[in-house]
Amino acid sequence: MRVAVRVLRAGDTDHELLWALVGLAALGAASLILAAGVPVVVPACVFKGLTGWPCPTCGTTRALLALAAADPRAAFGFNPLAAAVAAGWATYIPYGLGAAWGLWPRARLRLDGLDAQVVGVGAIGVFCANWIYLIAAGS
Amino acid sequence: MTDESSGASTPPPPAGSGDPDPARTGPAWEQPGPWFARFAQTAQALLLGPTQFFRTMRRQGGIGGALTFGILGSVLGGVVNALYQLLLSTSMASFRSAEAARTEALIGMFSTGCVVIVLPFAAVLGMLVGSAIYHLMLLLLGAARRPFETTLRVSAYSSGATSVLNLVPICGAIVAGIYSLVATIIGLAQAHEIPTSRAAVAVLLPILACCVVVALFYGALIALFLGAVAAGVQSQ
């Protein structure tokens, strides 16, 4: 695994700006919909209805609504992984915009074959751990 | 902004010819070989390395191949989604009775059949309309450095590859939706040789505009409803 810190070259994808703008657009769209009073329906989980166990995404909508209401404790209680991803992405937005505006050097991660496998296995492990938590908590 | 377009961009070639840039050899889908292997390699290349993929994508040379890829990916993702729904709804119905399960299975199979027939046309329409909107936005931003065919190729490959993510049950559709936006932005930036910021505005602004329209429409409905209620109260 190698980490290179360098200024963006011509033709490089500005990932920091890209993910910041996509996150900002998602926040903006959600804010517009909520501000207009469009009712947010929490969909019934078919998997839970079938098996009695929550699926890996159960609690995501409630977690996002709790974060929007500035209640992170409740958000992490509903679905820790979804809350962490949403909170992390929201925190990333100002960094991404700042990096693009301030011409900061960017960190670029290069994963070799084994490193990529380790990261992949780790991600699956985190996903499964979150699911086990949801089942244990009876989400 | 830090991102600048490439200083050594190539001029558009005459209509009907391929991409003059020798570095743009095209994805595996546009090379000879078994179709399934070509499809899988192309989808994997785009999902795991969209920047490199769109750097080597041919920007001209016909739209048939790219559209076919987009249709295949969309149909694959749509059919798998329909089958997941069929499986779950039939299983839930079986808790009621065997007859209910059979009825649900028949309805589900009919729905899946309709999906297979309708989805290719819907996919083509979606790719054409989406590409038209993106290209119009690029023209308005002064960033359309290549013809519409280039934008359509980006849209087709992005939607075809990210539709494969629908194979992942439960959360695949969510990830596919977000990553489709990201891949399209990267694709437009690399293919038109424009800054990431302009490509992002071209893709995200129409979506935000739709949300504004929905919010205004819903707000107007609420205002009408409240007005009607108030008028009814006053008349009593």
Side-chain angles (χ1 to χ4, degrees), chain A residues 59-89:
Chain A
T60 298
T61 308
R62 285 170 288 162
L64 295 178
L65 289 174
L67 275 178
D71 190 356
R73 188 172 179 179
F76 279 89
F78 288 132
N79 191 314
L81 185 58
V85 169
W89 199 351

Side-chain angles (χ1 to χ4, degrees), chain A residues 7-15 17-19 21-22 24-26 28-29 32-33 36-39 46-47 49-50 55-57 89 99-104 106 127 131, chain B residues 1-7 50-51 55 85 87-89 91-92 95 170-171 174 178-179 181-182 185-186 190 196-197 200-201 204 207-208 211-212 214-216 218-219 222:
Chain A
V7 177
L8 280 184
R9 293 189 285 255
D12 281 351
T13 297
D14 194 340
H15 283 285
L17 180 65
L18 170 60
W19 288 97
L21 288 179
V22 171
L24 209 55
L32 274 171
I33 299 297
V38 178
V46 178
F47 183 86
L50 186 63
C55 77
T57 62
W89 199 351
W101 187 264
L103 308 180
W104 299 343
R106 315 299 178 83
F127 186 81
W131 195 3
Chain B
M1 294 292 184
T2 57
D3 45 334
E4 295 287 339
S5 59
S6 172
T51 300
R55 270 184 188 160
Q85 292 299 319
L87 179 65
L88 287 172
S89 61
S91 302
M92 289 197 75
F95 284 111
I170 299 169
C171 57
I174 303 169
I178 295 173
Y179 202 66
L181 290 178
V182 172
I185 292 170
I186 293 174
Q190 293 298 326
T196 307
S197 53
V201 170
L204 297 175
I207 296 171
L208 283 175
C211 291
V212 169
V214 168
L216 288 174
Y218 201 80
I222 292 177

Side-chain angles (χ1 to χ4, degrees), chain B residues 16-19 24-31 42 46 53-54 56-71 127-128 130-132 134-135 138 146-161 183-184 187-188 191-192:
Chain B
S17 62
D19 199 307
R24 293 185 177 270
T25 53
W29 179 250
E30 295 177 8
Q31 314 301 331
T42 302
L46 192 149
F53 178 91
F54 287 111
T56 55
M57 182 196 77
R58 291 196 193 113
R59 290 172 292 196
Q60 284 176 259
I63 60 173
L67 277 179
T68 305
F69 180 86
I71 292 169
M127 283 185 281
L128 287 173
S131 304
Y134 295 149
H135 201 74
L138 289 174
R146 298 287 159 178
F148 173 71
E149 178 184 350
T150 303
T151 305
L152 182 58
R153 290 171 70 87
V154 168
S155 181
Y157 279 117
S158 293
S159 62
T184 304
L188 292 178
H192 286 272

Side-chain angles (χ1 to χ4, degrees), chain A residues 26-130:
Chain A
L27 273 178
S31 302
L32 274 171
I33 299 297
L34 289 176
V38 178
V40 178
V41 179
V42 179
C45 181
V46 178
F47 183 86
K48 187 172 185 179
L50 186 63
T51 64
W53 288 352
C55 77
T57 62
C58 271
T60 298
T61 308
R62 285 170 288 162
L64 295 178
L65 289 174
L67 275 178
D71 190 356
R73 188 172 179 179
F76 279 89
F78 288 132
N79 191 314
L81 185 58
V85 169
W89 199 351
T91 309
Y92 184 82
I93 290 173
Y95 163 72
L97 296 175
W101 187 264
L103 308 180
W104 299 343
R106 315 299 178 83
R108 289 290 180 263
L109 188 66
R110 183 179 293 274
L111 295 173
D112 300 324
L114 183 61
D115 295 328
Q117 289 177 10
V118 168
V119 170
V121 169
I124 293 172
V126 168
F127 186 81
C128 292
N130 184 68

